Structure formats: structure tokens, C-alpha cells
């Protein structure tokens, strides 16, 4: 009877066979990443494929954290690792221990990825750039205490403006500890608020040697700094992420020292020139004002200051006379018109008619004016208004006029 194996035993046997294979235990594979997933544990799960096949892969956190770039779907890579069997699922997969881009350096790819990320967040925008102080009293320098950089900066600043204090915050400028030390230095300088501007600097080197200034922790520390930061890393042709985030980039550390401090001799010459221009301006202004004063002092207004007052006073008297005359003429005109109206009113007045011998006959009973003989009867009591009084009488007889009788 044949020996019967369990599923676990089969998977275990296959795993042992594969593990003993020298090629599969240490190999390099190239292909394209797909189905990439970064687990919350820090492990990476993905598939690597070519035109005809796929291979499942896993990279545990220990190795994944050492990568300088972020893997992405569609990225062509070269992976170092070993093939083994995952016994539970009965499938073989590649356990990746290292990875690099295929055709482009890992550091260069990491640089471009971080650059795109920070640029999208606005860390490079000009609106965030702080203005450098014109004449800082204290300059903080974040660099190595043993390199030539700090000596160059001290020499340049001493030559340009000896009164300025240089405060060195020594840090490692390359290696694994460098990014954390640089970020910590920026944070400590901001907390102390002792310096007016900060220079982060190191000399030239390869991309690997300058890599500390391409780390995200350094970039964000520069962006968060309340004190203006000048990045002076490498030579003129070297660019780092720190250069893009900093408030100003200097091509070299020595150039940073020249940027941050004006030359004292040039400032003195500038002050001297401005002082001379100010004196000349004051003298010219005084000369112009003196000439103007002399010209004005010889004018009639200064020689006879009350002449204008007298002239205006006489003019006022004449105008007052004209005004009174005009008022009087207007009053006379109004008075004459009023007299005419009074005469017309008097002519129409009933009193004037009575004065010429006429009279007004009214009923003594209701004071109604009698205009017609038919309005009275015999024995009616009448009141006759005369010019100088009233006659009360009784009607004895009413006679019609001859024309009415006809």
C-alpha cells in the first residue's frame, strides 16, 4: 500500500525542497509591480509580473522601512530575495529583502517622489517664503563642527560684518542619524528664539552623501521654522529637497554667508553717500526757502501789510451804501404799490359810498339788506344806515316806481 500524506505534509515537503535550492534561496528578479498594498503592520504585499507570468511577493517591515523610495503599481523594479512556500495556503511566493528601480537609481526615484508629494502640499510655494532680515545680529549655522563649511562661513561673515555673532549647532550631515539631528537642531533654534536667521549647510558630495537633506523630516522642519532658513548644501549644481523648501537657496555655504550679511564697508560707504546727499538736500532747501523769503519780504504785502485791509474796508463801505440805496428803492416801490391798492380799496368801500349821501336799508328784525320794495310791508321796522349813524323807522306805505308800474 502506498504511503498517504496529509496536505500539510505535502506543503512542508515542497517547502523543504525549494529551500534547499541554491538558486531559489538567493536570486534577483526583475518585473513590474502590480496589486501593491501597504499593510498597516508595515509589510508590503504585491505581485511582480512580466509579459506572461506573475509571482506573488511579500516584503516585511524590517526590509520595507529601509527602502529609499515608495513602490507603486506599474513601477519596473529589480528585487533581491528568496522563493519559499507559504504552507497554510500551499502557494509559493517571493520573500523580498531588497528592491531597486529598474533603469533609474532608487535615491533618484525617492527624490522625485518626495519632491512631487511636498510640491503638491504647497511646501515649495513662494507665499510661504519668509523675508530675510536686512542685518541679523545672530546667525545660526546647522552643520558639522569639524568640516570646512563652518570655517568658510566664519571667514566670510568675519570679513563682511565682524560684529555679527555666529551660533553653531553641530550635527551629523550624512548617515542615518543626520536627518533627525538636523530636524532637532531647527526645532531647538526656534524654541530658543536666539538667532535671527538659520543656515543649514554642508559641502559637496554624491547624492548618497547629501541624502540627509532629501529626507521628509528635514523638509518639514524647515517649512515649520518660524525663523528664516537658508539652504546651502553641496555645490552650485547640487539640488536637494531642502533647497526647495527653504526660504532661500544659496549655491554654496560661502555664498550663504554673503547672502545673509551685507558688507560692512559697503554699508558705511552707502551711509556716507546718503549722509552727503541729505546735507546737500538740506542746504539746497534752505537756500531755496531763503530766496523765497527775500522775494516775499520785498513784496507790497509785506511792506504795506494793512493796505489790502484798508482797500477791502473801503470796498465794503461802498457796497454797504449801494445795498442801503437798493433797499430804500425797493421799499419806496412797495410803498407806492401799497398806496395804489389802498386807494382802489377805498373807492370800493361801502363807507365811501355812504359818505357821498347814499344809505343802506336793512330789516331791523334780522339785519338783512333790503334791495326790493317787495321785501317789505307796511308796519315793518327798518334800520337805515347813514354815513354818520342809523335811522330806525316803521314803513307807512310802499310805492312802486313809475317804470315798474308801466
Amino acid at each position: 500500500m502506498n504511503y498517504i500524506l496529509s496536505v500539510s505534509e505535502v506543503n512542508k515537503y515542497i517547502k523543504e525542497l525549494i529551500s534547499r535550492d541554491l538558486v531559489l534561496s538567493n536570486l534577483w528578479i526583475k518585473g513590474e509591480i502590480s496589486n501593491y498594498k501597504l499593510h498597516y503592520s508595515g509589510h508590503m504585499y504585491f505581485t511582480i509580473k512580466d509579459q506572461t507570468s506573475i509571482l506573488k511577493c511579500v516584503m516585511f517591515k524590517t526590509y520595507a522601512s529601509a527602502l529609499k523610495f515608495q513602490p507603486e503599481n506599474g513601477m519596473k523594479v529589480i528585487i533581491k530575495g528568496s522563493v519559499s512556500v507559504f504552507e497554510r495556503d500551499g502557494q509559493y511566493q517571493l520573500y523580498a529583502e531588497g528592491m531597486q528601480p529598474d533603469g533609474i537609481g532608487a535615491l533618484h526615484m525617492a527624490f522625485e517622489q518626495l519632491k512631487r508629494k511636498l510640491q503638491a502640499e504647497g511646501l515649495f510655494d513662494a507665499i510661504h517664503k519668509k523675508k530675510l532680515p536686512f542685518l541679523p545680529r545672530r546667525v545660526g549655522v546647522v552643520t558639522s563642527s569639524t568640516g570646512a563649511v563652518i570655517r568658510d562661513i566664519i571667514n566670510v561673515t568675519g570679513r563682511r560684518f565682524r560684529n555679527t555673532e555666529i551660533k553653531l549647532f553641530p550635527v551629523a550631515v550624512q548617515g542615518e542619524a543626520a536627518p533627525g539631528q538636523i530636524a532637532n537642531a531647527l526645532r531647538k533654534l526656534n524654541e530658543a528664539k536666539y538667532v535671527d536667521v538659520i543656515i543649514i549647510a554642508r559641502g559637496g558630495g554624491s547624492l548618497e552623501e547629501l541624502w540627509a537633506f532629501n529626507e521628509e523630516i528635514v523638509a518639514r522642519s524647515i517649512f515649520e521654522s518660524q525663523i528664516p532658513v537658508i539652504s546651502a548644501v553641496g555645490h552650485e549644481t547640487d539640488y536637494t529637497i531642502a533647497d526647495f523648501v527653504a526660504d532661500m537657496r544659496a549655491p554654496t555655504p560661502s555664498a550663504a554667508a554673503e547672502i545673509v550679511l551685507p558688507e560692512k564697508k559697503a554699508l558705511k560707504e552707502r551711509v556716507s553717500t546718503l549722509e552727503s546727499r541729505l546735507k546737500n538736500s538740506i542746504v539746497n532747501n534752505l537756500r531755496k526757502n531763503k530766496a523765497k523769503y527775500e522775494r516775499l519780504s520785498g513784496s507790497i504785502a509785506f511792506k504795506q501789510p494793512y493796505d489790502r485791509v484798508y482797500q477791502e474796508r473801503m470796498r465794503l463801505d461802498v457796497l454797504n451804501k449801494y445795498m442801503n440805496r437798493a433797499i430804500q428803492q425797493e421799499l419806496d416801490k412797495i410803498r407806492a404799490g401799497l398806496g395804489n391798492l389802498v386807494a382802489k380799496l377805498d373807492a370800493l368801500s361801502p363807507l365811501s359810498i355812504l359818505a357821498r349821501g347814499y344809505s343802506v336799508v336793512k330789516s331791523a328784525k334780522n339785519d338783512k339788506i333790503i334791495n326790493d320794495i317787495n321785501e317789505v310791508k307796511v308796519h315793518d321796522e327798518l334800520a337805515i344806515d347813514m354815513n354818520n349813524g342809523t335811522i330806525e323807522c316803521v314803513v307807512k306805505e310802499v310805492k312802486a316806481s313809475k317804470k315798474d308800474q308801466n
Side-chain angles (χ1 to χ4, degrees), residues 30 75 127 227 257 269 314:
K30 69 175 181 177
M75 184 181 293
I127 191 174
I227 301 172
E269 292 176 354
M314 292 173 62

Side-chain angles (χ1 to χ4, degrees), residues 265-330:
K265 180 181 178 182
L267 284 180
K268 285 184 175 180
E269 292 176 354
R270 177 64 174 164
V271 170
S272 178
T273 300
L274 292 175
E275 182 181 11
S276 177
R277 289 174 59 185
L278 178 62
K279 288 180 179 178
N280 291 336
S281 177
I282 292 173
V283 170
N284 291 334
N285 195 41
L286 287 174
R287 187 180 295 114
K288 289 180 181 178
N289 287 335
K290 182 180 179 181
K292 184 177 180 181
Y293 167 76
E294 291 175 350
R295 185 175 67 255
L296 292 175
S297 63
S299 65
I300 296 177
F302 276 88
K303 290 183 177 180
Q304 298 179 1
Y306 289 105
D307 181 69
R308 181 65 181 271
V309 177
Y310 296 151
Q311 294 291 332
E312 293 300 323
R313 183 177 293 174
M314 292 173 62
R315 181 169 174 269
L316 183 61
D317 289 341
V318 171
L319 291 175
N320 186 58
K321 181 179 178 180
Y322 288 159
M323 183 183 70
N324 289 334
R325 181 183 299 171
I327 292 173
Q328 187 60 46
Q329 289 176 349
E330 189 65 23

